[in-house]
Amino acid sequence: MPKKPNKKQQQSAGGTPATVALTSAGVDFTVHSYDHDPSHPSYGEEAAEAMGVSPDRVFKTLVADVDGTLTVAVVPVAGSLDLKALATAVGGKRAAMADPTLAERTTGYVRGGISPLGQRKKLPTVLDASASGHPTICVSAGRRGLEVELAPSALADLTNATVAPIGRA
């Protein structure tokens, strides 16, 4: 019987830590790939346009600092993050966007490709409540031009996310 490839082998075969985590967990997901345009002003809007998916179903992954703790916020690309609501969702008082270099170093991903899945260091995660209104949502698969589509409940389970209204239209 052939041996199952390890995570490093799966990644070198074209997977990312995010897709490896999904595969390892046995979660149903679909990978969407598109040619990333570095001149596009918004990674998330570019993904929605390229995939032909409504921007309220494509979610961006943002890293914030809540009272000194890096925290992941997953919100629709069609809106923005409500930092006060994020702080409240995790029992904090103040939130601010994290330093981009620190976010990249901590998650193991580059800006525009940060996935809520398969991060180098597991961070507290909050998924915007609007995700529950869709059978599937799309999030970064770990690099620019690559998205995964999955059930919001699967994303919440895998990231141990709190689901709360943290997005603003």
Side-chain angles (χ1 to χ4, degrees):
M1 180 155 88
K3 286 174 72 175
K4 184 177 175 183
N6 66 33
K7 288 185 180 184
K8 277 214 184 291
Q9 290 168 327
Q10 289 175 353
Q11 289 171 21
S12 67
T16 65
T19 60
V20 169
L22 288 165
T23 301
S24 296
V27 171
D28 287 333
F29 68 98
T30 303
V31 175
H32 298 277
S33 180
Y34 60 92
D35 291 328
H36 166 62
D37 175 5
S39 67
H40 200 289
S42 167
Y43 297 117
E45 289 175 14
E46 175 191 24
E49 291 166 11
M51 294 185 304
V53 175
S54 172
D56 65 338
R57 279 192 48 231
V58 178
F59 283 63
K60 56 189 169 188
T61 305
L62 303 171
V63 181
D65 180 321
V66 180
D67 297 335
T69 300
L70 290 183
T71 304
V72 173
V74 185
V75 296
V77 302
S80 61
L81 172 62
D82 181 335
L83 288 165
K84 186 172 174 73
L86 175 64
T88 300
V90 295
K93 292 185 186 323
R94 298 190 53 179
M97 294 307 297
D99 172 71
T101 304
L102 180 60
E104 289 179 339
R105 191 175 36 222
T106 305
T107 64
Y109 294 117
V110 298
R111 253 183 308 168
I114 294 179
S115 177
L117 300 156
Q119 295 180 357
R120 184 176 289 150
K121 180 179 178 193
K122 192 165 175 66
L123 300 173
T125 301
V126 182
L127 175 62
D128 185 63
S130 68
S132 302
H134 304 286
T136 61
I137 60 171
C138 298
V139 297
S140 175
R143 74 175 165 247
R144 297 171 187 153
L146 196 66
E147 297 276 315
V148 288
E149 181 176 353
L150 73 166
S153 58
L155 178 62
D157 289 346
L158 280 175
T159 58
N160 199 26
T162 299
V163 178
I166 60 167
R168 276 191 268 193

